[in-house]
Amino acid sequence: MIGAHTDSPTLRVKPVSKKQAEGFIQVGVETYGGGLWHTCAVPPCIELGPAGVASVLLNPTPGFDRDLSIAGRAMVQTEKGDYLQKLIRIDRPILRIPTLAIHLDRQETFTFNKETQLSPIAGLVAADLNRTGPPPEPGPATPESSTTSNETPKKSFAPLKAFTERHHPYIVELIAQEAGVPVASVIDFEMILYDTQKACIGGLNNELIFSARLDNLGMSYCSTVGLINSLSSDTALDNEDCIRLISLFDHEEIGSNTAQGADSNFLPAFVRRLSVIGPGNDDTRTAYEQTLATSFLLSADMAHSVNPNYASKYETDHKPEMNKGTVVKINANARYATNSPGIVLIQEVARRGEVPLQLFVVRNDSSCGSTIGPMLAAALGARTVDLGNPQLSMHSIRETGGVYDVGYGVKLFESFFEHYSHLQGNVIVD
């Protein structure tokens, strides 16, 4: 199994976002996760629908003086009265969080209030008043508004304020246009800010990736492609006695304690159902426990590359470098789930795939982040290793990774799926 997460720190539009001040239209937002808010980071997620079907939600991010827009999902009402989810991405800059000119506040350290100084501007009130356009289309009729010919029309009861009172009407119009429905059909939405600048290849020799959301779409991508590549041959599963599985979770950046998070029962329940599949499983009483005893989980989350401007922040003998291979993360206090038998196995997997590896621990005088690895290891009781490709500027709106590390990550995961069933019996711990 490979587990990864798809979310990143971001700003989310508040349930009541309509604001204006000093002639500007503004949008109220709340912070999600632990972002570098002076740059502001970004997240898409994959949300599980019925029967575990994944639907991609763009949950990107914000930054000061960046060209921002919104993406997410809207719940819309059909003519039949049903409510459907529509995925939304406004593909042009509509928001900006302006900094204060240095002439007006000469701070040595850039600080700001996240509640009062992080609200994006969406335009000018005067321009909006002059804006012309077609009137909003009528939405589907509701049963409460029906009347007889002799009755005074009865206003339907509304538990909440009208949507266009809670949010700026033009923003609701843009969302309705993207969803292909009348404005009145938009009942609710979850919208996230994102930077409209696209990812690109950079560096003098095109060896770097400049992008939003490398943490952790980088490892989500590598695990997905690694699984696909491991099945490219028609005979890939001929001698396979293991199930190859990846699980991409939401909400890691806020603790994973949600229905879509790694701290839910989703993966244990899924593995439990898989454990009784196959011939010879007439006695299923301990099938789940036996499956976990022979399973192995790679917790794939981006790692820290050494930053040349802050080299003293890294442990002297554990300074991962970009384009030098995937990083195995170790922590004595179990902030990462890696142990020695796990290192032995992943080293053999890497040897067969000809993929370089690096090792990482934090300094004793430094705090240490964590991943979904320890919580899944505790929930499943399965052997687990934490690893990830190195990157700079984690949780920034523009992160930096290595081009070649993407290939290393894909090859490592492909080798893991191809060789695990043959290797797992060779690592003996009594």
Side-chain angles (χ1 to χ4, degrees):
M1 299 179 288
I2 300 177
H5 72 91
T6 58
D7 62 316
S8 305
T10 186
L11 296 180
R12 174 170 160 164
V13 177
K14 288 182 176 180
V16 179
S17 69
K18 190 175 181 180
K19 300 165 69 75
Q20 71 178 54
E22 307 301 333
F24 285 95
I25 297 168
Q26 293 187 279
V27 175
V29 295
E30 59 179 332
T31 59
Y32 171 95
L36 296 177
W37 300 118
H38 59 285
T39 71
C40 288
V42 203
C45 69
I46 295 180
E47 179 148 322
L48 293 168
V53 176
S55 51
V56 177
L57 296 179
L58 294 174
N59 295 17
T61 8
F64 280 92
D65 300 322
R66 305 287 298 187
D67 301 336
L68 307 176
S69 192
I70 56 175
R73 67 173 172 184
M75 297 301 298
V76 302
Q77 187 178 20
T78 68
E79 292 182 356
K80 295 180 180 179
D82 298 325
Y83 298 93
L84 298 179
Q85 169 184 287
K86 295 279 189 176
L87 300 184
I88 304 296
R89 181 166 71 100
I90 308 302
D91 194 16
R92 68 178 180 89
I94 60 172
L95 303 173
R96 197 171 183 89
I97 305 173
T99 50
L100 184 63
I102 190 172
H103 315 80
L104 303 178
D105 188 9
R106 295 184 182 274
Q107 302 181 61
E108 290 187 8
T109 303
F110 179 56
T111 60
F112 60 94
N113 184 292
K114 289 187 286 186
E115 177 61 26
T116 61
Q117 296 171 329
L118 199 57
S119 296
I121 58 172
L124 299 172
V125 173
D128 193 61
L129 291 174
N130 294 328
R131 183 175 66 90
T132 60
E137 302 173 49
T142 56
E144 294 87 340
S145 61
S146 60
T147 60
T148 65
S149 58
N150 296 326
E151 292 179 334
T152 302
K154 181 181 178 182
K155 187 176 181 181
S156 60
F157 173 72
L160 293 173
K161 284 184 178 180
F163 209 55
T164 50
E165 291 183 39
R166 292 192 281 135
H167 304 284
H168 192 277
Y170 194 21
I171 289 179
V172 180
E173 286 180 35
L174 291 175
I175 292 170
Q177 290 171 13
E178 184 71 15
V181 300
V183 168
S185 295
V186 180
I187 307 303
D188 198 35
F189 61 60
E190 296 171 358
M191 292 293 148
I192 307 296
L193 277 62
Y194 76 96
D195 183 7
T196 58
Q197 182 180 0
K198 299 184 184 302
C200 64
I201 302 299
L204 292 175
N205 298 293
N206 292 320
E207 69 270 43
L208 301 177
I209 302 172
F210 304 142
S211 175
R213 305 182 296 279
L214 288 177
D215 175 29
N216 187 44
L217 292 187
M219 300 316 293
S220 297
Y221 173 83
C222 289
S223 58
T224 302
V225 177
L227 175 62
I228 294 170
N229 288 356
S230 76
L231 302 170
S232 58
S233 168
D234 292 338
T235 60
L237 298 178
D238 283 0
N239 299 310
E240 182 62 271
D241 57 6
C242 291
I243 294 172
R244 303 177 185 182
L245 177 153
I246 63 172
S247 188
L248 307 181
F249 296 96
D250 196 2
H251 298 148
E252 188 271 350
E253 299 292 355
I254 56 172
S256 297
N257 191 22
T258 66
Q260 299 85 29
D263 204 20
S264 69
N265 76 333
F266 173 74
L267 185 57
F270 198 76
V271 173
R272 185 181 295 276
R273 295 174 66 185
L274 290 175
S275 66
V276 298
I277 294 176
N281 283 340
D282 297 330
D283 184 1
T284 60
R285 288 174 296 179
T286 60
Y288 176 60
E289 289 76 12
Q290 292 179 55
T291 297
L292 293 179
T294 56
S295 295
F296 199 95
L297 172 69
L298 298 184
S299 169
D301 200 348
M302 294 291 283
H304 299 293
S305 166
V306 63
N307 186 321
N309 295 332
Y310 301 91
S312 62
K313 294 291 186 180
Y314 299 79
E315 205 281 334
T316 306
D317 299 314
H318 300 85
K319 295 179 177 180
E321 299 178 49
M322 259 186 250
N323 290 327
K324 294 274 183 87
T326 302
V327 178
V328 179
K329 299 185 265 188
I330 305 154
N331 183 258
N333 297 300
R335 300 289 288 172
Y336 304 129
T338 308
N339 60 16
S340 189
I343 293 176
V344 170
L345 188 138
I346 199 62
Q347 189 172 208
E348 284 304 310
V349 167
R351 191 190 317 279
R352 298 190 181 205
E354 298 185 348
V355 177
L357 296 176
Q358 306 181 76
L359 299 174
F360 174 76
V361 298
V362 297
R363 291 170 55 100
N364 286 321
D365 57 359
S366 171
S367 59
C368 181
S370 190
T371 69
I372 62 173
M375 68 180 67
L376 286 175
L380 297 170
R383 294 166 292 176
T384 304
V385 163
D386 268 297
L387 46 70
N389 286 344
Q391 70 161 92
L392 291 171
S393 306
M394 188 176 288
H395 290 192
S396 171
I397 197 165
R398 296 291 287 183
E399 300 172 331
T400 301
V403 167
Y404 302 109
D405 286 327
V406 177
Y408 288 143
V410 171
K411 286 180 64 177
L412 179 66
F413 295 152
E414 180 181 353
S415 180
F416 172 67
F417 285 124
E418 289 178 344
H419 300 300
Y420 172 71
S421 60
H422 306 294
L423 288 174
Q424 60 103 5
N426 297 335
V427 182
I428 302 169
V429 179
D430 55 21

